[in-house]
Amino acid sequence: MAPKKKTKEGNLQQENILEAVVIADSFNVRFYPVTAKRPRCLFPLANKPLLSYTLEFLARCGVKHIFVYCCHCAEQIKDYLAQSKWSKPSSPCQVTTIVSCDFTSVGDVLRDIDQKSLFESDFLLVPGDVVSNAQLKDALNEHKVRREKDRNIPLMTLVLHSSSPTHQSRTVESDIVIASNAVTNRVLHYHKIADNERKVQFPLGIFQSKEGRIEIRYDLSDTGIWVCSPQVPQLFTDNFDYQTQLDFIKGILINEEFLGNQIHMHVVQEHYCSRVYNFHTYDVVSHDVIFRWTYPFVPEIHFDDDYSMHHGANGSLSTIGYTSSYSLLRHNVYLHNTCLLGQNSIVQDNVVIGNGSKIGNRCYISNSVIGDGCCIEDDCIIENSYLWSNVTVKSKSKIHSSFVCDDVSIHEGVVLSAGCILCDKVLVGPSIELESKIIHKNGDDKTMGIVADKQSFDTSLVGENGEGYIWHKDVDVEADNDRALSKALWGLSLHDHNKQKLTADSSEESNSENDISSAGEESDFQEESEEDAFDDLSNFEKEVKESLQRGYEEKVQCDNLVLEVNSSKYAYNMSMRDVIQTIAKSLLEIAAAQSMDATSYFATLKEVLLHFLPLLCNYNKTASSQLDYLYALEEYAVSHVNFANSLIKVFMLLYEKDVLSEEVILHWNSKPGNYKDVITSQEIRRKVEKFIQWLVEAEEEDSDE
Amino acid sequence: MHWSRDELGDITIRRCFYVSEFAQEREQQDARFKKMDQFILDLKQEKFNGSYDLAYKVINHLRKLISQTRWAHAKELMGVIRKEGKQLVAAQPSEYVIGNMVRRVLKIVREEYVRLLGKSEEFANTESLHKMLTSAETEDEKYMKSLKELKTTVMEAVSEYIDEMDASIHNIAAQAIEHIHSNEVILTIGKSRTVEAFLKQAAKKRKFHVIVVEGAPLYHGHELAASLAAHNIETTIITDSAVFAMMSRVNKVIIGTHSVLANGGLKAVSGAHIVAQAAYQHAVPLIVLGAMFKLCLLHYSDIGGSEATFNRLASPHRVLDYYKAGSQDLCNVQVYCPTFDYVPPELVTLFISNIGGNAPSYMYRLLSEMYHPNDHEL
């Protein structure tokens, strides 16, 4: 209900109570299998539950009544809220939990709100994973002012956060472009950029409006916070196909003309506002908390329940827990007052160590969060990792860039690296190396109904004393969009992704869709390694071959093919030598595929070579590249007798067409390669002997004259 | 037994009355605690405007606590205040003024109790070996007598103290004429309301020049400069880095402070230490303005170990925008934004409070007069 004129104070207070809905469920599986038995909003972020940041943020904004909608693991959320300060009489705001397992999307939640008609005035809609220190006062006021002008048209205000396009906190999932009116802040177009999209289209109509300037912004990320008018839930009921927020925004923008609803936006600039919606953002937001961007929601300031204001029944104040508090040391190191650090242990930068954790001697810890009650023995190295509560790490283990959940035991000499995820209660080791593995121990009823005894664990993968299963990405994920997104697992920001996208894009022209996605999935996870380089080469070869094949079949101009090959070359960062060898091989393979039998082989080959003559000339300009080309031919010839037999003719042809110069051929002849397959390099030389002799004679004749 | 109808009705009504009274009382109590917790929440959210405002709010809160809670004797009252005080301090550990106010109120309670008993005030203050041995009452019995008038006298004394606080800025400003002379060049940093009032008071009679150090990254110096210039005071703004260069022409440095530590050192706005060092180097006197309630019992060594309680590291967004800070090339850069500086007492020439000017070495004496030694630890 829009506030009336401020006449009576009592009346005013009744109406100005600000209410909010927290959706404590993501309705997706980004964190699976970690979220199998734990809701995302209870993930510890710098050792405090994520939900407490959200509620605290709302309380700070002056929200008096919060409805928490929970679905997955609703009991845990309820229990948490029941024992937290939010359910105590001293709580700054009333928190009501609404549980239903029937909700499958945000749309369902809003339809439920409509059914219960919870709100008569404006309210906030907030996902249960927001971390922010922003004051939404401005956004609320702006919304109110707009609503006062016209009660029905302004529907809601999106709260967005500005961050540069290369910002760490941006991921593929929140890659949006927004067109808005710079004066009224009205959102005209909202587009979420899909994974492989390279062009964004805007409806022409938005530029033809006469009022104000139009801004198109790519420096915004969606915080998921909406200031909603009471009509919003109704619209969800009317359009029962709306599932996500995105559906709704799109629906409203498309139907704007005849329904007259408008969406506005408010950009948070000064303050911090981010969401935790996948592993990468968990990493980024944790860091931001440690770097104090979220001040005053930082580890050493109690805002959680550690410090509870408890009143006895008789009104006297009962004792306050001072037992848990962090102290901040230099370089953003937060040590809990009860944690123990062994001798010669080094705690470098940006570390949080939780309540009652014990660190052994000579450990090295940096850029990590260690939860409550962890026990880390001597000589361990922990970097860029997150350890939740009650994790045991035996001596001489190394944990890099990994994510370790509650009650995990890591035995001696285990090395975790590059995005390992160990779910609750997993045991690994001793002396095993794990890289980019997800290990879980969910007694999944469907797949393994039997009680898991030690024998059923694959000890070669999780170590002799290990308990846990490797989780494969594709097993459990439903076959929808999630699948494509689930690959953005750990440590992949938009920036990284764009780099990869560039590579993938250049291959798009010649490569089939399938190949791109598989290549992309593989290269997502791995650091640059030798394996990768090898993959690159084979991918490159494949691409070039396909380009040429198509070029031959469709008789494409060689100039265009050169461009294509060059772009592939840069995409995979190949040397000139690789390119030449690849081309040589590809052409021969194409010819081999075309020809029916041995007799017609040279004819087809000649045709192919003549067609690609400009291309060959282009790449074989220098002597060294010609030499590379010759060796490539030789390499191919040793394994293909067919070709070896016609090699002399090929040489003749290329010599006549000025692709190869005689000096190079002679040089090649004098230095046989070490190829050996069906026939040896020496035999190859014997096969072209006549041609060489002819060349030498021709040269002598030349010099004679 | 036979009850007449009337009697029965009477009993029911009375019972109803009791019940409703009880419920009402509980409701009131709940409402009261809600209000108090609201205050703690406000503290946490930094809903106060400068340390004077904070002190005022805290002492008003304590006054309400004294009047609204039930207590039988002074000891119980002190227990109540202490408990509440602990929570308040925990809500904002870096604001020492809160602790000061709590201790001050405790001291008032002690004084009033002793006064009502008819003993001299000195008796309550001084702790001597002789007294410890000869004293008839043990620590437990002390302050246990219930005195009817205690509540009113304590309330009066607290109100008196609030009045004193009210007047403190005025009292400090009144001393301006003695310290600022004509045609002097005064340097100050950031914005302190006390300094502002002090300079404006002096400007009524004298002409002088003020150099304001801007105090990055908060730039409160700009506000002060604008306010002084509007008051027809000749004002110059300089950057923090220019302090040393400008110091040679300065006659006096006058700064405000967040709080004064027991050793006479200061917890002041960041940048104050550079100013103090430069002043020391050029033998320019450094005058610190601050009301008595800013004087606290802590030593730097008590708190130096933990930056969390001494300094306040605010969000770095004022130094570097989050917009840029998260980008690939900057993600490993650490950005700090400390709010305070510690200025050691050797660099301070004079401390001017509402009761007059003192050397920093005299602080301990003032402290022992202001707070009772038993209250040092809440």
Side-chain angles (χ1 to χ4, degrees), chain A residues 291-541:
Chain A
F291 274 75
R292 307 182 70 78
W293 290 103
T294 55
Y295 183 88
F297 306 131
V298 286
E300 95 277 9
I301 295 182
H302 328 263
F303 60 86
D304 199 25
D305 315 313
D306 324 342
Y307 151 73
S308 52
M309 298 169 273
H310 214 309
H311 296 296
N314 55 356
S316 72
L317 302 157
S318 63
T319 48
I320 319 154
Y322 275 102
T323 45
S324 52
S325 60
Y326 287 87
S327 41
L328 166 62
L329 308 179
R330 276 173 200 197
H331 305 294
N332 294 330
V333 172
Y334 303 84
L335 297 184
H336 198 278
N337 295 347
T338 55
C339 77
L340 294 173
L341 267 179
Q343 279 182 338
N344 294 328
S345 275
I346 299 169
V347 178
Q348 199 78 9
D349 300 349
N350 316 323
V351 175
V352 181
I353 299 181
N355 188 358
S357 288
K358 287 178 197 150
I359 314 289
N361 302 330
R362 299 174 298 279
C363 289
Y364 175 88
I365 301 171
S366 78
N367 287 312
S368 298
V369 177
I370 292 171
D372 298 340
C374 291
C375 184
I376 292 157
E377 290 186 358
D378 302 351
D379 305 299
C380 288
I381 296 175
I382 299 175
E383 284 176 319
N384 305 322
S385 298
Y386 296 91
L387 273 63
W388 290 1
S389 306
N390 301 322
V391 175
T392 330
V393 182
K394 293 275 166 62
S395 55
K396 298 197 176 82
S397 292
K398 288 177 185 142
I399 303 176
H400 302 280
S401 314
S402 295
F403 195 93
V404 180
C405 301
D406 285 357
D407 306 312
V408 170
S409 296
I410 295 169
H411 287 283
E412 289 92 353
V414 172
V415 180
L416 301 179
S417 61
C420 273
I421 296 166
L422 304 187
C423 298
D424 290 356
K425 300 192 177 73
V426 162
L427 268 72
V428 287
S431 309
I432 191 160
E433 287 191 24
L434 293 168
E435 196 183 312
S436 329
K437 292 268 171 28
I438 302 174
I439 296 177
H440 70 121
K441 202 184 164 187
N442 299 326
D444 208 338
D445 304 325
K446 293 167 209 159
T447 50
M448 34 209 129
I450 42 153
V451 183
D453 60 329
K454 270 212 164 180
Q455 300 307 313
S456 68
F457 299 113
D458 190 346
T459 48
S460 64
L461 289 168
V462 293
E464 271 174 42
N465 299 331
E467 288 180 22
Y469 311 97
I470 303 274
W471 186 72
H472 300 287
K473 266 178 263 172
D474 300 319
V475 179
D476 287 284
V477 183
E478 290 124 65
D480 58 355
N481 294 344
D482 282 353
R483 181 171 170 166
L485 293 166
S486 68
K487 69 185 183 189
L489 265 177
W490 180 239
L492 185 71
S493 70
L494 184 63
H495 191 66
D496 297 333
H497 186 82
N498 280 345
K499 272 192 212 155
Q500 287 179 356
K501 212 154 89 175
L502 272 179
T503 346
D505 281 349
S506 53
S507 64
E508 207 171 328
E509 287 152 28
S510 57
N511 226 340
S512 70
E513 281 282 307
N514 251 338
D515 282 338
I516 303 166
S517 57
S518 67
E521 248 163 7
E522 268 167 24
S523 55
D524 261 358
F525 229 88
Q526 288 158 357
E527 306 283 329
E528 273 188 334
S529 61
E530 283 177 31
E531 232 170 90
D532 253 15
F534 180 73
D535 274 0
D536 278 357
L537 185 62
S538 62
N539 281 340
F540 172 72
E541 277 173 4

Side-chain angles (χ1 to χ4, degrees), chain B residues 40-78:
Chain B
I40 290 179
L41 196 76
D42 286 353
L43 277 188
K44 279 193 192 174
Q45 295 172 3
E46 298 177 29
K47 282 190 186 161
F48 50 86
N49 187 9
S51 54
Y52 174 75
D53 186 40
L54 175 64
Y56 193 75
K57 278 184 174 151
V58 171
I59 200 154
N60 268 321
H61 178 74
L62 292 173
R63 186 163 69 163
K64 260 183 226 154
L65 189 79
I66 296 168
S67 70
Q68 288 177 352
T69 32
R70 288 185 179 178
W71 40 272
H73 43 77
K75 191 168 170 123
E76 199 182 332
L77 174 62
M78 291 196 312

Side-chain angles (χ1 to χ4, degrees), chain A residues 525-654:
Chain A
F525 229 88
Q526 288 158 357
E527 306 283 329
E528 273 188 334
S529 61
E530 283 177 31
E531 232 170 90
D532 253 15
F534 180 73
D535 274 0
D536 278 357
L537 185 62
S538 62
N539 281 340
F540 172 72
E541 277 173 4
K542 214 184 208 170
E543 237 169 63
V544 169
K545 194 186 163 194
E546 273 169 38
S547 290
L548 297 177
Q549 179 98 40
R550 194 169 43 84
Y552 179 66
E553 280 160 13
E554 295 169 16
K555 302 289 174 221
V556 179
Q557 285 270 305
C558 277
D559 289 353
N560 295 342
L561 287 175
V562 167
L563 281 179
E564 256 178 54
V565 171
N566 276 348
S567 72
S568 303
K569 170 184 179 249
Y570 291 121
Y572 289 98
N573 195 16
M574 290 293 147
S575 68
M576 202 61 199
R577 191 193 182 120
D578 289 330
V579 175
I580 289 163
Q581 285 176 346
T582 309
I583 289 173
K585 212 168 132 194
S586 310
L587 291 184
L588 296 174
E589 275 167 4
I590 290 170
Q594 298 276 331
S595 67
M596 300 304 141
D597 47 35
T599 47
S600 66
Y601 179 71
F602 180 69
T604 11
L605 183 62
K606 189 175 173 187
E607 206 178 305
V608 170
L609 288 176
L610 286 176
H611 177 262
F612 288 111
L613 207 59
L615 184 118
L616 290 174
C617 289
N618 182 63
Y619 283 108
N620 292 334
K621 275 176 191 152
T622 64
S624 69
S625 57
Q626 287 177 20
L627 199 62
D628 285 337
Y629 184 65
L630 279 172
Y631 279 117
L633 291 181
E634 180 186 341
E635 190 185 350
Y636 187 77
V638 291
S639 51
H640 297 80
V641 190
N642 231 343
F643 174 67
N645 291 337
S646 49
L647 191 62
I648 186 163
K649 290 177 194 161
V650 174
F651 275 21
M652 195 62 197
L653 176 77
L654 293 173

Side-chain angles (χ1 to χ4, degrees), chain A residues 226-326:
Chain A
W226 286 4
V227 184
C228 300
S229 304
Q231 290 97 317
V232 172
Q234 291 165 19
L235 278 165
F236 266 97
T237 311
D238 295 346
N239 299 284
F240 49 84
D241 56 329
Y242 286 170
Q243 295 294 313
T244 60
Q245 285 102 321
L246 192 66
D247 292 341
F248 181 74
I249 296 172
K250 280 192 170 159
I252 295 299
L253 290 173
I254 290 166
N255 297 328
E256 203 176 336
E257 296 296 320
F258 48 90
L259 288 177
N261 292 315
Q262 294 183 353
I263 299 176
H264 292 82
M265 66 173 193
H266 172 81
V267 180
V268 178
Q269 240 150 358
E270 282 258 294
H271 294 280
Y272 182 82
C273 198
S274 274
R275 280 184 66 191
V276 176
Y277 50 82
N278 57 22
F279 283 107
H280 175 71
T281 47
Y282 181 88
D283 186 30
V284 170
V285 175
S286 294
H287 255 96
D288 289 338
V289 171
I290 294 170
F291 274 75
R292 307 182 70 78
W293 290 103
T294 55
Y295 183 88
F297 306 131
V298 286
E300 95 277 9
I301 295 182
H302 328 263
F303 60 86
D304 199 25
D305 315 313
D306 324 342
Y307 151 73
S308 52
M309 298 169 273
H310 214 309
H311 296 296
N314 55 356
S316 72
L317 302 157
S318 63
T319 48
I320 319 154
Y322 275 102
T323 45
S324 52
S325 60
Y326 287 87

